[in-house]
Structures are given as C-alpha cells and as structure tokens.
Amino acid sequence: MPQREARFTVNAQPPELWKFIRDMESLCTCIPGVEKIVLLDGRSADLTVKEKVGVIPMVLTLRASIDSEDPPRRLHATARAEHLTMNIDVSLEKAANGTELRALFDVTGTGQLKPIVDRLFEKRATERAAQFADSLQKRFGAVPPARAAAQAPAGSLSRFWRRLLEWFTPRRN
Amino acid sequence: MSNDFIIIGSGHNGLACAGYLAKAGARVLVLERDNRVGGSCHTAEATLPGFRHNICSMVHTNIPLSPVYRDLELERNGVRYVYPDHLRGTIFPDGRCLVMYRDPAQMAAEIARFSARDARTFTQLVEDYGEFIDSTYLPLMYSPPLPPSLQTAELEKSDEGRALMQWQASTPVQLLDELFENEQVKVHFLARMTVLGFPPDAFGQGWICLFRILKAEAPICVGGSQQLAEGLRRVVEGAGGLVKTGAGVKRILVRDNRAFGVELGDGTRFEAAKAVITNVEPKKSFLQMVGEEHLPPAFATRVRNYHSRGRSLFCLHLAVSEPPQYRAGADNPHVNRAFSQEMFCGTVADQVQAYQEIAAGKPPRREMLQITLPTLFDPSQAPPGKHTVLVWQYAPYALAQEGPQGWKSVRDEYAAHCLELWRSYAPNMTKHKILAMTIQDPTDTVRHNDNMVDGVDVVGDMTPDQMGYFRPFAGWSSYRSPVEGLYMCGGYCHPGGGVHAGAGHNAAGVIAEDFKLKKWWQ
C-alpha cells in the first residue's frame, strides 16, 4: 500500500483554508483533472476524473466521503474507484504567516489493474503535486519560498500529493 | 527432507518462481533433467576454448528493469548487464542503414535521413503513446493477464482509445502503411516484429507493433546468458532451496485430481506437500507427465491444440579474429556498434514473402539475417581481441519435402549461403577471419531444449490466440491447472517466451496467494 505525505504552507488562516477544503466543490477546482462533481450530501460526492496517459484518456469515477472531522484541524476522507482506494488524512496547523497543510495518503490499487494504477501514480506524482500546490497558492497567495522551504523539508511534498494528484491532472498535449 | 513445492525444470522461469517461494519460507526443490541449470539461458564453448557462445537466448531485454531483478537481488547474486552503444541497425541492400537509438530525438533525426514526414510521425507517436506504453507494459508483463473486457473497457471510452483498438486488430504491415511513407523506415520497424517471430501479415498484432516501434533495449548478461541462471540458482539455494540437476522427471503423480509429487526416470519419487509447478512445455507436462486420463477432456483438447508453427532459427556460432565492418558504416558508422545488425530484405513485400516461404517450409534464399557480437560489449565472452558472432537466419523447422530431417542434407550448403549473404554486407568477414564455426539448425535447437517445440524459440507461437488471456489456454491463464496442486510457470504462460522471468514471477504470486504465503516482495 503506497503511503505518501505532503506538507506545504499557504497564505490563509486555518478557518479560511478549512472552509475551502471542506467544500468539495471548491476543493475540486484545485484538483487537476476533475471534470464533474455530483454532491450526494454534505459529506460525500461522486467525482469524475480524467487523466490522459499520452493521448489515451482514462476516466475514473470516484466516490469521495468524509469519514470524520475535527474542524478546523483534522479531516479523514476516503475515495473509492473501481480499481483503487485512497484513505486521506488532512491536518491544518497555524504557521507564522499562514497555514501549513499536511496530508497523509494511503493509496491502494485494487483488483486486476492494481499494477497499472500503482505505476501511473508513481509516474505522475511530481507534476500533479506541483499543480495542486500552485492552484492553492494562487488562490490564497503564495508564502515566500524561503519560509515555505523552512517549513516543508525538501522532498516532503513529493511523497503523497505528488502521487495522488498526478493521477488526476491531464497533461497538456 | 520433505518439500512444499517441486518445480520441474530449471529454466529461468522455474528458478525465478523457486526463488520467490523459497524466500517466502517454503521448502523448494527444483528438478532439472540436464546437468546444468538455465534451459535456454545457455552459454557454452561451442567452437573453440575460451569462446563462450550463447546457444539460445542472447539478450534479456526486460530483466534489468524487472521486479525479478530487484526483488531477488540478482545483481548482488552476480548477474550484471552491459548495454550496447546503440540498439539495432537495419541494413538495406543499397548500402544504407537505419540505426535504432535510445534517445527519441536522435532516433527521429535518423529517420529524417529517410523521410522528414516519418520522423515527425515517430516523434508524434512517442508523444502520444510513449507514456501509455511505458506505464502499462511492465505492469502488464509482471502480473497475470487481464481479461479482454477489462482491457478494452477504458479504451472504448474515447476516440483515441478506439483507434488504438483498431490498430490492435490490424496486421503490422497495415499499421506501418498507415503510419509511415518511406519503404526503408517500414522495413526497419517491421523487423522489430520479425525478430520476435511475429508474422508481418498476421492480424491482431498491430498494438504489439506499436509497442515495438517505441520500446527497445538490449542488455547483455556479462559472462553470457548462463550467468542469469547461475544467479537465480544462488538465490534459490541461498534461501534454503535445493536444485538437483541430472534429475529428469518422467511423471507427475496425481491422486484424486491432486498432484502430490513426481517420479524421475529412474523411479525415484519426490513428494510435494503443497504443489508441483511445471516449467516444461504444456504437451509434455500434461499429455505425458500427467496423462490424459487425469485431465478434463476439453482441457486435453486445448493442450493438444497448443501450436508451435512459427518461424525457427538457423544459427551459426562463429569464433572470429575481428569484428565485422559493414559497408553501411559509410552511411552511418554507428551501425557497427549496435547490439545487432539486421538484414531483412529491402522492401516490406520481400520481407513478407520471405516469411511466407518460411511458413511453406522453404529456407529463404534471401537474407533474413540478424547478427550479434556480444563480445563488442562484453569482452569476457572471448579471448582478448577475439569475438564470438551469432548469425541467425530465419528459417522453417520442417522443410517442405523432407521435414525436419531434411536439414541434415542441406545445412552445410545453407550455412555457406548465409555466410555469403552476410559477406555481401560485411566484406571483411573472409574465410580466414572465421576461426571456427558450429552450425545449429532448428533441429539442434530442439535437441538443446525440447521446450522449443518445432524450433519455436518462444515456447509456442505468440499469436493472438495464444497470448495474454489465452496463453496457454482460454480459461487457464492464471498459472493454475485443472489438476489441484499443479501449476504452470513457463514461457508458454503469459507474458510468453523470451527471457524476462515474467511467468515465473507471476506464477509465484498466484501460488503464494493460494497457499497463503507472505508475498514479501510487495
């Protein structure tokens, strides 16, 4: 089961960031590749995510649900598709000039496509993580790089978000 | 000592499977009929002392990047690879050549010498499909085959995916005609299929052709192919497994539809507490070792119908005093430092016709030649300054009139003819540069390893009806068999023949699941 951790800081106070990530529709505007979202209730939604592998589009239908939360600090969510399950733990912590977001992801490819799902996550992680962080920073304002670097040790971003988010964003072809 | 698992045959798939299971804590016994391990990973002094020739497998395309190499720590167990400067060189009768490079930009530039449009097409293919192939091919090889419905479910959702499905249904020649305009570019890419034994005019192989256009490597096992088998043996024995050579299995013992052991030719019996795993080709495994009386009739029919009708190889092992210098080196000197030089006629039509002659039992008179000099990149395989050469001329196993035995009367003349064909491209390969030669006609290949039924070096034809979900048989591509406790792990299983250990790896995974062994490699 690939486990990945991401940590980065955005220029917003915890309640503001919490409000954003807790609203699935707004959060999905920052997740690359989400084409459609259907809210089922306040805690769950169906997402249609398109990821292109070369010119071949792969379409995933995920059911995401928030299993538990401790506003505005912690959230546990699960996203399930036909060939993968993701467990997501998110925590927000006030930083010197903004909020540090930490996320721990357990990604499990399931069934017969597991090897391919795992491989795709592996290959796309870095690019997609950067896109997600970029989206959030554009929305809330960037934290100066030096301070962000101090708060986010080298490589910490790469682990989880990279793996998850690469999957969700189409390449520019 | 009692055994959990008995593995019949120490080809690289059998040893890989044994390695995984032994490292999972199982008691493993590998039984090998020959006096050495390795099956077609076989290196021997076939000509002169000090000249180490690879009798069957020459290149292990996927091994160094495979999970097997990593999981079984093969490098630590003495298995090392060197990489040729360039991948392949297709040489045309007009003296030009097209060198296959690893770098897509360099490859496109090479194609542009023949056609700017084809170079653009190649670059576009890399952009459009390179990542798709790169993302899917290793996972698909090193996992049990997917049902066709699952494979197509994603593709049929988009125009691009549907186009890929149509390409898959086409022949390699059709696909190349659709993609490229230049005849020599097409010949070059068609050769990518030919070298694997895929007929150029067979339907249902377009996707594989695309894969072959975009994906290539040529790692050479240092010391010869045998070293891979020796490394795998060290893994098995290091994990407490036992490998017995000179132990030919005659029967698989079955009671109440359960395999419980094996009997050797001398009557010695070994029992397996959990399972017997066969690396021996299916007809011998099931019709001879198990016996039809223990098989469901429909399964026995499938086994009988498993076919090996594809092209075979007429091989010359040469000890030479200097490497060949091709005339085509004037066109691109890199051709002399490629893993292999391939001379497969000047047109697609000629190549197709040569293949049809082979299918009709006629050894082609024109060149269907692939030449490799491993010693250019691994000097340890020959005395200092000298080289070994492997000449492959694609040929039928059975001659049209005389059958396989017909080779006895024509092999010397055909060998001389092949050398003349080669010399017409590499004129320095005069008789006095050839220090010694051993002929290996297709019947010799079978004598070396009778898993290569009818000289087909991929353990049964790699045709759409015997690939993926249908290999070896529809409904039995999961490495299990209808006999409980009897599993398959050879090149006749997905992902097919060739040295990549995919079948051994995948079989070990299935067996570990069935017997609740820890899959330590995951």
Side-chain angles (χ1 to χ4, degrees), chain B residues 213-278:
Chain B
I213 290 170
L214 297 175
K215 198 81 190 169
E217 196 38 270
I220 294 170
C221 195
V222 174
S225 288
Q226 181 78 46
Q227 295 309 310
L228 171 61
E230 300 299 339
L232 286 165
R233 178 180 189 159
R234 282 191 281 276
V235 172
V236 175
E237 294 178 338
L242 183 62
V243 180
K244 281 177 74 77
T245 55
V249 172
K250 182 181 176 188
R251 281 205 305 144
I252 295 170
L253 304 173
V254 178
R255 184 192 306 130
D256 298 330
N257 194 40
R258 176 166 190 83
F260 67 95
V262 300
E263 182 179 292
L264 305 187
D266 65 5
T268 307
R269 287 186 168 207
F270 295 95
E271 294 201 357
K274 290 186 166 64
V276 175
I277 305 155
T278 178

Side-chain angles (χ1 to χ4, degrees), chain A:
Chain A
M1 179 186 293
Q3 191 175 74
R4 298 292 183 268
E5 185 183 20
R7 181 190 298 196
F8 57 95
T9 303
V10 296
N11 192 8
Q13 293 304 304
E16 186 185 1
L17 184 57
W18 177 265
K19 186 179 175 189
F20 181 80
I21 65 168
R22 185 59 183 77
D23 178 347
M24 286 197 178
E25 282 186 308
S26 63
L27 179 63
C28 285
T29 62
C30 290
I31 297 178
V34 176
E35 292 206 324
K36 186 179 169 189
I37 176 166
V38 177
L39 292 175
L40 301 175
D41 54 43
R43 303 177 71 85
S44 58
D46 283 343
L47 312 179
T48 303
V49 180
K50 193 173 185 180
E51 172 74 352
K52 276 188 135 182
V53 186
V55 293
I56 305 297
M58 305 191 76
V59 180
L60 274 180
T61 302
L62 286 151
R63 175 155 294 180
S65 59
I66 296 168
D67 303 321
S68 62
E69 57 186 319
D70 176 16
R73 295 172 52 223
R74 292 181 190 283
L75 177 152
H76 177 82
T78 307
R80 287 192 175 85
E82 188 179 358
H83 303 296
L84 66 90
T85 299
M86 283 180 277
N87 284 298
I88 307 160
D89 280 301
V90 179
S91 65
L92 307 183
E93 191 168 327
K94 186 169 173 49
N97 186 20
T99 303
E100 182 187 71
L101 186 152
R102 295 179 66 190
L104 185 67
F105 282 60
D106 279 340
V107 182
T108 310
T110 55
Q112 291 173 298
L113 287 185
K114 173 180 168 53
I116 294 174
V117 169
D118 288 348
R119 175 94 168 178
L120 283 172
F121 270 97
E122 194 69 49
K123 289 177 68 66
R124 288 292 173 86
T126 306
E127 183 186 352
R128 298 296 181 262
Q131 287 171 338
F132 178 75
D134 187 53
S135 292
L136 280 177
Q137 288 185 328
K138 275 184 180 152
R139 183 170 188 94
F140 292 102
V143 171
R147 201 160 58 217
Q151 290 166 349
S156 65
L157 179 63
S158 65
R159 299 306 166 100
F160 143 65
W161 281 111
R162 284 174 188 176
R163 217 157 155 75
L164 171 70
L165 298 171
E166 275 194 13
W167 173 254
F168 289 121
T169 306
R171 291 168 64 207
R172 280 182 226 136
N173 287 310

Side-chain angles (χ1 to χ4, degrees), chain B residues 19 156 409 439 518:
Chain B
E156 65 190 15
S409 58
I439 300 171
K518 182 174 172 55

Side-chain angles (χ1 to χ4, degrees), chain A residues 54-55 57 119 123-124 171, chain B residues 128 131 134-135 146 158 160:
Chain A
V55 293
R119 175 94 168 178
K123 289 177 68 66
R124 288 292 173 86
R171 291 168 64 207
Chain B
D128 288 350
E131 188 186 15
D134 196 42
S135 300
L146 298 176
S158 65
E160 297 88 345

Side-chain angles (χ1 to χ4, degrees), chain B residues 1-3 18-19 21-30 233-243:
Chain B
M1 182 184 112
S2 60
N3 310 292
L21 296 176
K23 285 173 74 76
R27 294 161 300 177
V28 174
L29 171 65
V30 180
R233 178 180 189 159
R234 282 191 281 276
V235 172
V236 175
E237 294 178 338
L242 183 62
V243 180

Side-chain angles (χ1 to χ4, degrees), chain B residues 492-515:
Chain B
Y492 55 96
C493 301
H494 172 78
V499 177
H500 40 66
H505 167 274
N506 299 344
V510 168
I511 292 163
E513 284 169 14
D514 286 359
F515 291 95

Side-chain angles (χ1 to χ4, degrees), chain B residues 434-446:
Chain B
I434 297 174
L435 308 174
M437 176 174 78
T438 294
I439 300 171
Q440 180 182 325
D441 73 38
T443 63
D444 295 321
T445 298
V446 178

